[in-house]
């Protein structure tokens, strides 16, 4: 179905476009804040003439962000930020129905993944929009000559922000980046409520195992881990939290969870989910003591939280038990089950965050893109937080869309909060 009008693309099957459109429109129903922004962008065109290179999960919600950026006047080129999260019908719809250049195929191998990122870089983006810093890394590592062409960028997730801060500290960052992840309206909704629900969704879809009565180990009690532990408890699981940060661990204890080191938790769990942004959180010595039938999944950004090479090495053989479920046979007869190849289980085995959650993240992306488009000349090559006014505006729009109203400070209250001399 390729036509001469289609933008440059490499997608699995343009014939899937009409299914993609139906699902993109379904998601849009739950994205009222982004819709309001798109309507304003259509009028104001704040991104007119800008080329945006995006590396994001190619999902229905991302499609609505792409439509918003295009409505703002931008030319957008999109590649996937994870080889397993691409929805092929969405990629097709973006190309064939919405005129957006997409380079993403579900299940693409590592070489294709990087070839797709190169295709985005070939478009010489002036703004970057990353989820995990891969595009920014590529530009800085293999195309330094292009770094000067980029006015600014945005970053979606915790792991990307950690990398960008490391680049900033090393003096290696070549342009300003707004850390969308750090907006309250992003991580509060997305990491906590979005990851909480969709990770459980991915595990249940992949395994169809009842969670009630099982021991569910959550590694990392940050924004994502908290949401996940809460939802697992809601399903009737006994949750054990693994942490390295004393304050986060204390919070887990005070929230009513059992806290244990991974060496101990490894012997207890029926399910293990990593949400740390760290590496090799679950390792060889832990696989060695796990129960027969233990299920391992990751919902952190990269597929390194479970030491998969060690798991392969330890096992005598492996088989696909169900879609997204690989069984590893241990020499002593036990079987351990790894979900979604250790990649983000909520995106690989389910549909990622619900649209109403991504509404908040992508409202931040759209308004941050508008902000950097207008202010890049005043910004230094540093990592910036999302301006407070953007965060507040998104929270206000979301409440409005949910038909909740709040109070405003009275003049007397405002004065009282501003003074220090009025006591008892
Ligand atoms: N699945 C998704 O859709 C999704 C959404 C948002 C973020 N993420 C990713 O999830 C990861 C976590 O994000 P977050 O916002 O919760 O981060 P966070 O910084 O709030 O929390 C991470 C927690 O993990 C703990 N931790 C680090 N190393 C550990 C170890 N070895 N053992 C146990 N705990 C350890 C830290 O102390 C911290 O409390 C990141 O990789 C992020 O990019 C995924």
């Amino acid at each position: 179905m390729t036509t001469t009008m289609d933008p440059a693309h490499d997608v699995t099957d343009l014939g899937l476009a009409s299914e993609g459109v139906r699902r993109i429109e379904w998601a849009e129903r739950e994205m009222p804040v982004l819709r309001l922004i798109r309507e304003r962008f259509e009028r104001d065109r704040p991104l007119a003439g800008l080329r945006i290179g995006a590396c994001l999960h190619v999902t229905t919600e991302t499609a609505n962000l792409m439509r918003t950026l295009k409505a703002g006047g931008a030319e957008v080129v999109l590649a996937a930020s994870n080889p397993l999260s691409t929805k092929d019908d969405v990629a097709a719809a973006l190309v064939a129905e919405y005129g957006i250049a997409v380079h993403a195929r579900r299940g693409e191998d590592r070489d294709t993944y990087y070839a797709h990122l190169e295709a985005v870089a070939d478009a010489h983006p002036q703004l970057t929009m990353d989820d995990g810093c891969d595009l920014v890394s590529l530009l800085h590592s293999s195309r330094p000559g292009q770094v000067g062409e980029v006015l600014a960028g945005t970053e979606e997730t915790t792991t990307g922000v950690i990398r960008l801060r490391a680049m900033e500290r090393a003096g290696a960052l070549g342009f300003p980046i707004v850390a969308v992840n750090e907006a309250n309206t992003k991580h509060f909704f997305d990491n906590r409520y979005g990851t909480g629900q969709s990770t459980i969704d991915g595990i249940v879809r992949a395994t169809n195992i009842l969670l009630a009565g099982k021991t569910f180990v959550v590694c990392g009690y940050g924004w994502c881990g908290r949401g996940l532990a809460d939802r697992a408890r809601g399903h009737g699981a006994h949750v054990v939290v693994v942490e390295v940060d004393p304050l986060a661990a204390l919070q887990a204890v005070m929230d009513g969870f059992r806290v244990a080191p991974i060496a101990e938790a490894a012997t207890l769990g029926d399910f293990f989910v990593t949400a740390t942004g760290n590496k090799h959180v679950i390792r060889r010595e832990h696989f060695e003591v796990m129960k027969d039938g233990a299920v391992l999944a990751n919902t952190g950004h990269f597929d390194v939280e479970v030491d998969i090479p060690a798991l392969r090495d330890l096992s005598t053989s492996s088989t696909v038990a169900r879609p997204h479920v690989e069984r590893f046979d241990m020499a002593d007869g036990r079987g351990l089950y790894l979900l979604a190849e250790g990649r983000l289980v909520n995106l690989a085995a389910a549909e990622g965050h619900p649209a109403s959650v991504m509404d908040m993240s992508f409202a931040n992306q759209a308004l941050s893109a508008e902000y950097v488009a207008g202010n890049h000349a005043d910004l230094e090559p540093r990592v910036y937080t999302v301006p407070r006014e953007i965060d507040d505006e998104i929270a206000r729009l979301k409440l409005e869309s949910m038909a909740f109203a709040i109070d405003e400070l009275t003049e007397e209250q405002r004065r009282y909060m501003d003074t220090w001399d009025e006591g008892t």
Side-chain angles (χ1 to χ4, degrees):
M1 209 178 96
T2 309
T3 72
T4 49
M5 301 300 289
D6 289 333
H9 63 273
D10 182 22
V11 302
T12 299
D13 179 4
L14 285 179
L16 300 171
S18 56
E19 174 60 15
V21 171
R22 266 198 298 280
R23 295 200 314 111
I24 291 165
E25 287 176 356
W26 175 258
E28 198 214 7
R29 295 173 57 254
E30 289 283 310
M31 304 184 83
V33 178
L34 196 61
R35 189 168 56 243
L36 287 172
I37 293 170
R38 190 171 82 225
E39 285 162 12
R40 179 171 68 71
F41 274 19
E42 264 159 14
R43 293 191 301 274
D44 298 353
R45 308 274 290 168
L47 306 174
L50 283 174
R51 267 188 316 281
I52 299 184
C55 176
L56 300 167
H57 300 293
V58 182
T59 61
T60 53
E61 295 82 11
T62 298
N64 282 306
L65 172 61
M66 298 297 104
R67 293 171 68 195
T68 306
L69 299 176
K70 196 174 175 202
E75 182 193 324
V76 192
V77 186
L78 171 68
S81 58
N82 183 304
L84 287 185
S85 60
T86 297
K87 307 299 177 202
D88 285 327
D89 58 341
V90 171
L94 277 169
V95 173
E97 299 293 331
Y98 301 109
I100 286 164
V102 181
H103 303 267
R105 293 168 175 265
R106 185 178 175 87
E108 61 195 16
D109 62 20
R110 197 181 159 76
D111 288 349
T112 312
Y113 178 82
Y114 281 103
H116 284 162
L117 266 183
E118 296 280 357
V120 173
D122 284 346
H124 291 264
Q126 296 156 298
L127 294 187
T128 61
M129 196 169 270
D130 247 326
D131 186 335
C133 194
D134 276 351
L135 180 57
V136 168
S137 296
L138 175 91
L139 290 172
H140 283 76
S141 58
S142 60
R143 298 189 180 216
Q146 262 183 251
V147 169
E149 298 173 4
V150 183
L151 306 173
T154 62
E155 169 56 53
E156 172 77 9
T157 198
T158 314
T159 288
V161 174
I162 290 170
R163 291 180 157 195
L164 289 162
R165 291 211 189 282
M167 288 173 79
E168 180 185 335
R169 277 197 305 278
L173 187 61
F175 46 84
I177 303 262
V178 173
V180 166
N181 184 66
E182 294 184 2
N184 290 318
T185 47
K186 195 278 182 182
H187 59 240
F188 188 62
F189 269 80
D190 176 312
N191 302 31
R192 185 168 188 174
Y193 298 112
T195 309
Q197 176 169 314
S198 61
T199 301
I200 297 282
D201 186 18
I203 293 168
V204 170
R205 285 195 207 194
T207 64
N208 197 25
I209 298 177
L210 186 73
L211 300 183
K214 299 288 189 335
T215 298
F216 194 103
V217 178
V218 176
C219 299
Y221 199 68
W223 287 104
C224 293
R226 266 176 257 163
L228 178 59
D230 208 38
R231 266 51 187 166
R233 173 159 63 188
H235 279 265
H238 304 286
V239 177
V240 179
V241 169
V242 173
E243 252 298 343
V244 291
D245 178 291
L247 198 61
L250 185 60
Q251 235 180 318
V253 171
M254 302 311 280
D255 288 343
F257 297 112
R258 177 170 175 183
V259 169
I262 184 64
E264 183 186 337
T267 63
L268 305 171
D270 300 298
F271 291 90
F272 294 85
V273 187
T274 47
T276 69
N278 210 336
K279 186 178 183 183
H280 296 175
V281 177
I282 305 184
R283 306 178 289 274
R284 188 182 187 97
E285 63 263 37
H286 309 132
F287 306 135
E288 282 171 341
V289 297
M290 281 180 184
K291 291 188 208 170
D292 178 34
V295 173
L296 296 139
N298 166 50
T299 200
H301 190 76
F302 287 116
D303 59 349
V304 295
E305 301 212 11
V306 178
D307 186 354
I308 299 167
L311 182 58
R312 287 200 187 287
D313 189 47
L314 195 62
S315 64
T316 51
S317 59
S318 80
T319 45
V320 175
R322 285 162 61 93
H324 306 301
V325 184
E326 186 173 1
R327 179 190 158 96
F328 289 87
D329 300 299
M330 301 290 129
D332 57 11
R334 286 174 307 132
L336 302 183
Y337 294 91
L338 177 69
L339 305 191
E341 301 170 21
R343 296 183 190 278
L344 292 158
V345 69
N346 60 332
L347 280 145
E351 294 177 62
H353 298 328
S356 64
V357 168
M358 296 316 293
D359 192 27
M360 306 298 274
S361 303
F362 287 166
N364 271 293
Q365 283 283 12
L367 294 186
S368 294
E370 178 184 34
Y371 172 76
V372 292
N375 294 282
H376 61 84
D378 301 325
L379 301 176
E380 290 164 23
R382 285 182 21 218
V383 179
Y384 287 86
T385 51
V386 173
R388 174 75 192 264
E389 309 81 67
I390 291 183
D391 223 348
D392 285 352
E393 172 70 359
I394 291 170
R396 195 184 62 71
L397 289 172
K398 187 70 168 184
L399 277 170
E400 209 175 281
S401 74
M402 295 165 91
F404 287 107
I406 58 168
D407 288 315
E408 279 183 30
L409 292 174
T410 63
E411 202 36 54
E412 183 193 23
Q413 288 167 342
R414 202 183 305 278
R415 262 201 316 277
Y416 181 72
M417 301 299 275
D418 283 344
T419 56
W420 54 271
D421 54 355
E422 198 180 325
T424 45

